[in-house]
Amino acid sequence: MAFNGHQRDDVSTDEDETPSKQPRSNTEMPGCFSSEHNNEASPPGGTPVSDRRTSNSTTRHRKDSVKKTRPPFPWFGMDIGGTLVKLVYFEPKDITAEEEQEEVENLKSIRRYLTSNTAYGTTGIRDVHLELQDLTLCGRKGNLHFIRFPTHDLPAFLQMGRNKHFSSLHTTLCATGGGAYKFESDFRKMADLELHKLDELDCLIRGVLYIDSVVSSGPSECYYFENPTDPDHCIQKPYTLENPYPLLLVNIGSGVSILAVYSENNYKRVTGTSLGGGTFLGLCCLLTGCSTFEEALEMASQGESTRVDKLVRDIYGGDYERFGLPGWAVASSFGNMMFKEKRESVSKEDLARATLVTITNNIGSITRMCALNENIERVVFVGNFLRVNTLSMKLLAYAMDYWSKGQLKALFLRHEGYFGAVGALLELLHPS
């Protein structure tokens, strides 16, 4: 039994009430040293001058060591999924006059192109609202940019890289996702680039933990919906992942993978399902004639799934009290579509809404069973299926809370589908 996705339409999300995360200390990439050091004076009778000189010499040696081992710019991480390609780019903001003079034109051209545009062609998007500013990575200060485009447009991206002579700056690109394997030969032939292929689940977890650790201002990276079963008082609230373990990590992309994470290096894939974001978009394209994810979501927001689904009350005339099943719960997804008169009365928007509810309910049901089996009470949902998809997030939050009687908390992350690409970038800068 599942939710019908109807009575949560009026759940409000008060974005303005989400307080900022408390600032943290400057966070570095593991294994890299900060370029900022304390210059506190030694107390009377403290460290001798000779020792301080030795310390300063050691500091300079560390800086030089980091400079020698870090890769040349540009710094990218890439996640090539079944539906979307996600790209993260680190833009250095501390370039010295000497570096700028020595910088080759190809590198300047790439930086200008990526940072001066918010759209690339007709389908590439830079998510400006997700940009992280003033990060320190391997001793360099800069901004982290988040870019996405459909996987079917990858040839255009490779042609752009060829036109801007990217291979003259790098011969290898760190990439994760299934596309890193599928399109490896295309990168080699079209852009003269080799791919350093990385495990997508390793990158996902590494990226989630890193992004949460460096977000220090603005909205909290992690959040949940307070009072998800009370539409009049449901609001978005921040949540800290400083002590995250154990947690269930549900990655909703084209398909779904569910991971039980016990520590940064101890996790397992519990299960998954082929019914994910790709299923939602594919079925919507078939049923409604839409062509984009955004269009499908817009149609779903205007629809009514109860005209399409068969509910418990359609079978029992009300609640099924013996097993505590409310009459509004879905008994059979698309169950009303077996009747001709019902089919003739539904709209494309109703079909889109029912498709969204069906996919979301299935994910929620499998997630709850996994949480019970693994004895985990904290569930984090990530992936591009949740991008601009508040409907599904609220439905998942309601389902986790309702069916677990408040024992399970559904958590969400602002950078949704970019964590794999972030993990690939971290591998470039600090190989594991």
Side-chain angles (χ1 to χ4, degrees), residues 109-405:
S109 174
I110 290 173
R111 184 167 66 246
R112 282 196 302 266
Y113 177 71
L114 292 177
T115 59
S116 63
N117 293 289
T118 57
Y120 314 93
T122 58
T123 58
I125 298 292
R126 178 161 62 93
D127 286 315
V128 180
H129 66 288
L130 296 179
E131 180 180 334
L132 296 178
Q133 299 183 340
D134 299 324
L135 288 184
T136 301
L137 286 175
C138 281
R140 300 304 300 259
K141 279 188 174 294
N143 301 336
L144 199 59
H145 298 274
F146 299 85
I147 298 167
R148 56 183 163 85
F149 58 89
T151 304
H152 62 71
D153 285 336
L154 186 61
F157 170 80
L158 295 177
Q159 186 60 50
M160 183 272 290
R162 186 180 185 89
N163 293 343
K164 294 187 177 297
H165 306 288
F166 186 89
S167 61
S168 68
L169 305 169
H170 273 299
T171 57
T172 303
L173 187 63
C174 283
T176 188
Y181 296 85
K182 180 178 180 180
F183 300 109
E184 183 177 17
S185 62
D186 294 330
F187 274 84
R188 189 180 299 117
K189 294 174 183 175
M190 296 179 65
D192 197 24
L193 286 170
E194 295 293 331
L195 291 183
H196 178 37
K197 301 184 294 296
L198 304 166
D199 181 81
E200 61 180 306
L201 301 183
D202 287 342
C203 288
L204 171 66
I205 292 174
R206 195 174 184 184
V208 167
L209 297 177
Y210 176 76
I211 290 294
D212 183 70
S213 73
V214 298
V215 172
S216 59
S217 61
S220 173
E221 175 65 27
C222 185
Y223 62 93
Y224 68 100
F225 290 98
E226 188 177 71
N227 304 316
T229 58
D230 185 351
D232 294 329
H233 300 93
C234 179
I235 57 174
Q236 185 176 307
K237 290 286 188 177
Y239 188 91
T240 177
L241 276 178
E242 288 179 341
N243 297 298
Y245 311 113
L247 64 86
L248 207 65
L249 188 61
V250 184
N251 187 28
I252 314 174
S254 298
V256 182
S257 283
I258 301 178
L259 311 176
V261 184
Y262 301 101
S263 71
E264 183 175 0
N265 299 309
N266 180 18
Y267 70 88
K268 65 180 180 181
R269 184 180 187 275
V270 180
T271 189
T273 172
S274 61
L275 305 182
T279 314
F280 166 67
L281 180 54
L283 286 176
C284 280
C285 290
L286 281 172
L287 294 171
T288 72
C290 70
S291 57
T292 68
F293 182 70
E294 290 77 9
E295 187 181 354
L297 281 181
E298 176 59 28
M299 295 180 76
S301 70
Q302 304 298 321
E304 175 54 78
S305 61
T306 57
R307 298 191 184 107
V308 179
D309 297 333
K310 187 181 290 293
L311 309 182
V312 169
R313 66 170 175 251
D314 296 328
I315 300 173
Y316 284 87
D319 299 342
Y320 188 4
E321 296 180 358
R322 180 183 178 187
F323 293 107
L325 296 174
W328 48 259
V330 179
S332 175
S333 297
F334 283 75
N336 280 337
M337 293 301 91
M338 67 180 71
F339 305 111
K340 182 180 179 181
E341 64 274 16
K342 295 280 189 179
R343 291 196 299 271
E344 293 174 347
S345 67
V346 299
S347 66
K348 291 182 178 180
E349 288 78 10
D350 296 336
L351 292 170
R353 181 61 165 258
T355 303
L356 183 71
V357 170
T358 297
I359 298 300
T360 305
N361 278 338
N362 183 63
I363 295 169
S365 177
I366 294 173
T367 298
R368 179 172 174 267
M369 287 188 288
C370 290
L372 288 173
N373 288 339
E374 298 297 325
N375 195 28
I376 294 176
E377 296 180 353
R378 190 160 29 192
V379 182
V380 180
F381 292 93
V382 298
N384 269 296
F385 175 68
L386 299 175
R387 180 173 56 84
V388 298
N389 188 1
T390 307
L391 282 172
S392 286
M393 286 191 282
K394 289 177 179 177
L395 190 58
L396 286 168
Y398 192 114
M400 293 296 102
D401 186 86
Y402 183 90
W403 293 114
S404 71
K405 295 180 172 57

